[in-house]
Amino acid sequence: MENPFKNDSSDTTRLDPSIVVIFGATGDLTHRKLVPALYNLAVDGLLPAHFFTIGVARRAVADAEFRDSLTSSVKQFSRRQKINEGVWKELIDHTYYVNCPFDDAESYKDLRCKIEELEAHSGMKLNRLFYLATSPDYFEIISKNLSLSGLLEETETTKARVIVEKPFGNDLPSAKLLNNSLLQSMKEQQIFRIDHYLGKETVQNLLVFRFSNGFFEPIWNHKYIDHVEISVCESIGVGSRAGYFDSSGILRDIVQNHALQLLCLVALEPPVAFEADAVRDEKVKVLKSIRRIPLDKVGSKVVRARYQSGAVDGKEVTGYLGESGVSPDSTTETYVALEFEIDNWRWAGVPFYVRAGKRLAKRTTEISIHFKEVPHLLFKDQDIKNWKSNVLSFRIQPDEGITFKISAKPPGPKLKVQPVNMDFSYGSSFGVEAPEAYERLLLDAMRGDATLFTRNDEIEQAWDLLDNVFKAWAGEGTKAPPVFGYEAGSWGPVAADELLMKKLSQGWRRL
Ligand code: BG6
């Protein structure tokens, strides 16, 4: 049977022999995302001929049992539903399990032995990619033990890299502590802080769209853009993750990372190159330029809310406080809407509105750029009730694509103005299914390309930006603003529309 691993000697992006070591190997992320991503990379012929995977977790599990559980997960979660048995066999036969309590430095010797055994067996040194897919409580100790056991040492020819999952800290001080402690064990260049939104095709396309189409850049500023809306809407509730979510909330879970990354990509200046530090330098500049919201303004610039019972997709669902694992006196927000202002030459005076929420009417992530009205409306005596200013919207998911709303005259004797859409859809334009975010990000980390990963200063700036919001919500230095309610299956609280209507003539764009 065909083996794509060994199929493509002309591919110049081919990786060096590698091993991926996943900590948290029995967890959800490994089964739903990481191993299916490795499998799909293998199908695409993007993994090197010498490639191994080791799963590490605290439970004692035999290789065979581990392989069986991964096999059923890949069948269930791979984007390619029809499994190529040859490719899968090649991958799973080179997959092993090591039992290692994360805080037991001695056990890392077993891991090291296993890696050396595989190197001896394949007759070559392997690049090492360690993936920390565990609870964040273990990030520090795993890194320390990896370093103590010599597994993070690099040579001229072999590299050792560590992917760190989110959440990266819980606030500014904890993120700084985590950064500092990781840097005791490895160099910044070895750390790959993952934000899976950056691996989404449509998110990467934002940069291509902005910087390879000459006609947008001249109008990409305060002279022509009225405001920007960024929406990360989900219809799911907290499900089985209430334990984590109740101590986190949507501001930490989505806005601090995914939504602010989207904002940065809309707002950044052209980087000097499409290279890790050049892109990240520009993102940091954006984050630094966003005005910090004073404690006493949090109530007027930020709306927080949580879902009440309602119906989603025709099914009755419980309110947040009724979810199992949520504290009865919880004030955790499942919805947030914020207004940001960017103090720089490009964006002065252009509000950036960001909203994120669970149990909303539908799952959709969108960025919309709302252009200013024309300076003088020539057709004002005509039927202009449908007239709207131009909106450029990036549909990040689902139904990925870009739509530009323009005004046009419908056919007929009367001069009317009507909005119409110019539409680009990934599905119909490219005719291929987009890879999953984790595929791209695993591949980039194996290649050592950190462009789509976040740097320490970026993470800290993002926490710093939200610091006052957390303080105000805790009632520090001001009266804590209310937690509004919204019906599950709706578009969020009325207060979120009112936030926009302080400056605009309408609330959030209908999605
Ligand atoms: C994760 C959050 O980072 O992103 C989840 O922790 C959220 O709460 C998820 O559901 C959304 O990701 P996606 O790719 O489905 O938009």
mmCIF file of all heavy atoms in Angstrom, residues 360-376:
data_model
loop_
_atom_site.group_PDB
_atom_site.id
_atom_site.type_symbol
_atom_site.label_atom_id
_atom_site.label_comp_id
_atom_site.label_asym_id
_atom_site.label_seq_id
_atom_site.Cartn_x
_atom_site.Cartn_y
_atom_site.Cartn_z
ATOM 1 N N LEU A 360 -24.704 31.288 22.071
ATOM 2 C CA LEU A 360 -25.326 32.322 21.240
ATOM 3 C C LEU A 360 -26.105 31.628 20.119
ATOM 4 O O LEU A 360 -26.128 30.401 20.026
ATOM 5 C CB LEU A 360 -24.265 33.277 20.696
ATOM 6 C CG LEU A 360 -23.528 34.065 21.784
ATOM 7 C CD1 LEU A 360 -22.449 34.938 21.185
ATOM 8 C CD2 LEU A 360 -24.490 34.947 22.598
ATOM 9 N N ALA A 361 -26.733 32.442 19.285
ATOM 10 C CA ALA A 361 -27.650 31.880 18.291
ATOM 11 C C ALA A 361 -26.975 30.905 17.334
ATOM 12 O O ALA A 361 -27.580 29.934 16.900
ATOM 13 C CB ALA A 361 -28.301 33.013 17.513
ATOM 14 N N LYS A 362 -25.717 31.195 16.965
ATOM 15 C CA LYS A 362 -25.018 30.224 16.110
ATOM 16 C C LYS A 362 -23.514 30.362 16.265
ATOM 17 O O LYS A 362 -23.012 31.363 16.785
ATOM 18 C CB LYS A 362 -25.452 30.344 14.656
ATOM 19 C CG LYS A 362 -25.127 31.621 13.971
ATOM 20 C CD LYS A 362 -25.574 31.529 12.504
ATOM 21 C CE LYS A 362 -25.208 32.807 11.781
ATOM 22 N NZ LYS A 362 -25.808 33.041 10.536
ATOM 23 N N ARG A 363 -22.817 29.339 15.782
ATOM 24 C CA ARG A 363 -21.357 29.376 15.839
ATOM 25 C C ARG A 363 -20.864 30.141 14.630
ATOM 26 O O ARG A 363 -21.050 29.722 13.487
ATOM 27 C CB ARG A 363 -20.792 27.958 15.812
ATOM 28 C CG ARG A 363 -19.279 27.917 15.712
ATOM 29 C CD ARG A 363 -18.767 26.497 15.681
ATOM 30 N NE ARG A 363 -17.320 26.451 15.687
ATOM 31 C CZ ARG A 363 -16.583 26.032 14.652
ATOM 32 N NH1 ARG A 363 -17.170 25.612 13.550
ATOM 33 N NH2 ARG A 363 -15.269 26.017 14.735
ATOM 34 N N THR A 364 -20.240 31.256 14.888
ATOM 35 C CA THR A 364 -19.683 32.016 13.782
ATOM 36 C C THR A 364 -18.607 32.970 14.290
ATOM 37 O O THR A 364 -18.756 33.597 15.327
ATOM 38 C CB THR A 364 -20.787 32.766 12.995
ATOM 39 O OG1 THR A 364 -20.184 33.519 11.976
ATOM 40 C CG2 THR A 364 -21.624 33.675 13.842
ATOM 41 N N THR A 365 -17.514 33.006 13.546
ATOM 42 C CA THR A 365 -16.441 33.942 13.885
ATOM 43 C C THR A 365 -16.242 34.844 12.689
ATOM 44 O O THR A 365 -16.046 34.354 11.566
ATOM 45 C CB THR A 365 -15.135 33.181 14.209
ATOM 46 O OG1 THR A 365 -15.366 32.340 15.327
ATOM 47 C CG2 THR A 365 -14.004 34.140 14.544
ATOM 48 N N GLU A 366 -16.319 36.137 12.919
ATOM 49 C CA GLU A 366 -16.265 37.072 11.798
ATOM 50 C C GLU A 366 -15.574 38.369 12.193
ATOM 51 O O GLU A 366 -15.702 38.827 13.326
ATOM 52 C CB GLU A 366 -17.685 37.394 11.324
ATOM 53 C CG GLU A 366 -17.694 38.109 10.008
ATOM 54 C CD GLU A 366 -18.939 38.947 9.761
ATOM 55 O OE1 GLU A 366 -19.060 40.037 10.370
ATOM 56 O OE2 GLU A 366 -19.759 38.525 8.942
ATOM 57 N N ILE A 367 -14.850 38.921 11.239
ATOM 58 C CA ILE A 367 -14.285 40.266 11.421
ATOM 59 C C ILE A 367 -14.964 41.130 10.372
ATOM 60 O O ILE A 367 -14.962 40.772 9.188
ATOM 61 C CB ILE A 367 -12.771 40.273 11.150
ATOM 62 C CG1 ILE A 367 -12.056 39.328 12.105
ATOM 63 C CG2 ILE A 367 -12.213 41.682 11.244
ATOM 64 C CD1 ILE A 367 -10.599 39.098 11.750
ATOM 65 N N SER A 368 -15.545 42.247 10.779
ATOM 66 C CA SER A 368 -16.117 43.119 9.751
ATOM 67 C C SER A 368 -15.519 44.516 9.860
ATOM 68 O O SER A 368 -15.397 45.083 10.946
ATOM 69 C CB SER A 368 -17.646 43.146 9.822
ATOM 70 O OG SER A 368 -18.079 43.472 11.107
ATOM 71 N N ILE A 369 -15.147 45.005 8.686
ATOM 72 C CA ILE A 369 -14.536 46.333 8.586
ATOM 73 C C ILE A 369 -15.627 47.234 8.014
ATOM 74 O O ILE A 369 -16.094 47.011 6.889
ATOM 75 C CB ILE A 369 -13.336 46.318 7.606
ATOM 76 C CG1 ILE A 369 -12.429 45.100 7.830
ATOM 77 C CG2 ILE A 369 -12.569 47.632 7.632
ATOM 78 C CD1 ILE A 369 -11.635 45.093 9.075
ATOM 79 N N HIS A 370 -16.024 48.219 8.777
ATOM 80 C CA HIS A 370 -17.121 49.095 8.351
ATOM 81 C C HIS A 370 -16.532 50.407 7.849
ATOM 82 O O HIS A 370 -15.889 51.125 8.613
ATOM 83 C CB HIS A 370 -18.076 49.346 9.527
ATOM 84 C CG HIS A 370 -18.702 48.072 10.022
ATOM 85 N ND1 HIS A 370 -20.028 47.787 9.884
ATOM 86 C CD2 HIS A 370 -18.159 46.987 10.624
ATOM 87 C CE1 HIS A 370 -20.283 46.579 10.379
ATOM 88 N NE2 HIS A 370 -19.158 46.078 10.831
ATOM 89 N N PHE A 371 -16.759 50.669 6.577
ATOM 90 C CA PHE A 371 -16.179 51.872 5.984
ATOM 91 C C PHE A 371 -17.055 53.090 6.256
ATOM 92 O O PHE A 371 -18.252 52.965 6.541
ATOM 93 C CB PHE A 371 -15.971 51.663 4.481
ATOM 94 C CG PHE A 371 -14.831 50.726 4.215
ATOM 95 C CD1 PHE A 371 -15.032 49.353 4.182
ATOM 96 C CD2 PHE A 371 -13.539 51.213 4.068
ATOM 97 C CE1 PHE A 371 -13.973 48.483 3.972
ATOM 98 C CE2 PHE A 371 -12.477 50.346 3.862
ATOM 99 C CZ PHE A 371 -12.694 48.986 3.816
ATOM 100 N N LYS A 372 -16.434 54.259 6.149
ATOM 101 C CA LYS A 372 -17.186 55.496 6.399
ATOM 102 C C LYS A 372 -18.171 55.744 5.259
ATOM 103 O O LYS A 372 -17.984 55.241 4.147
ATOM 104 C CB LYS A 372 -16.218 56.672 6.498
ATOM 105 C CG LYS A 372 -15.410 56.581 7.773
ATOM 106 C CD LYS A 372 -14.662 57.849 8.073
ATOM 107 C CE LYS A 372 -14.190 57.746 9.514
ATOM 108 N NZ LYS A 372 -13.076 58.591 9.846
ATOM 109 N N GLU A 373 -19.162 56.532 5.566
ATOM 110 C CA GLU A 373 -20.129 56.876 4.527
ATOM 111 C C GLU A 373 -19.458 57.766 3.480
ATOM 112 O O GLU A 373 -18.461 58.426 3.782
ATOM 113 C CB GLU A 373 -21.297 57.629 5.161
ATOM 114 C CG GLU A 373 -22.076 56.732 6.081
ATOM 115 C CD GLU A 373 -23.272 57.435 6.708
ATOM 116 O OE1 GLU A 373 -23.540 58.583 6.342
ATOM 117 O OE2 GLU A 373 -23.905 56.813 7.563
ATOM 118 N N VAL A 374 -20.037 57.790 2.294
ATOM 119 C CA VAL A 374 -19.486 58.677 1.264
ATOM 120 C C VAL A 374 -19.634 60.124 1.749
ATOM 121 O O VAL A 374 -20.558 60.434 2.509
ATOM 122 C CB VAL A 374 -20.209 58.485 -0.093
ATOM 123 C CG1 VAL A 374 -19.896 57.132 -0.659
ATOM 124 C CG2 VAL A 374 -21.718 58.656 0.056
ATOM 125 N N PRO A 375 -18.726 61.019 1.312
ATOM 126 C CA PRO A 375 -18.761 62.385 1.857
ATOM 127 C C PRO A 375 -20.033 63.146 1.498
ATOM 128 O O PRO A 375 -20.496 64.004 2.248
ATOM 129 C CB PRO A 375 -17.528 63.056 1.244
ATOM 130 C CG PRO A 375 -17.048 62.157 0.170
ATOM 131 C CD PRO A 375 -17.596 60.798 0.420
ATOM 132 N N HIS A 376 -20.601 62.795 0.338
ATOM 133 C CA HIS A 376 -21.811 63.504 -0.075
ATOM 134 C C HIS A 376 -22.698 62.506 -0.823
ATOM 135 O O HIS A 376 -22.253 61.915 -1.817
ATOM 136 C CB HIS A 376 -21.428 64.676 -0.993
ATOM 137 C CG HIS A 376 -22.618 65.274 -1.678
ATOM 138 N ND1 HIS A 376 -23.604 65.931 -0.976
ATOM 139 C CD2 HIS A 376 -22.971 65.289 -2.979
ATOM 140 C CE1 HIS A 376 -24.534 66.323 -1.833
ATOM 141 N NE2 HIS A 376 -24.170 65.949 -3.051
#
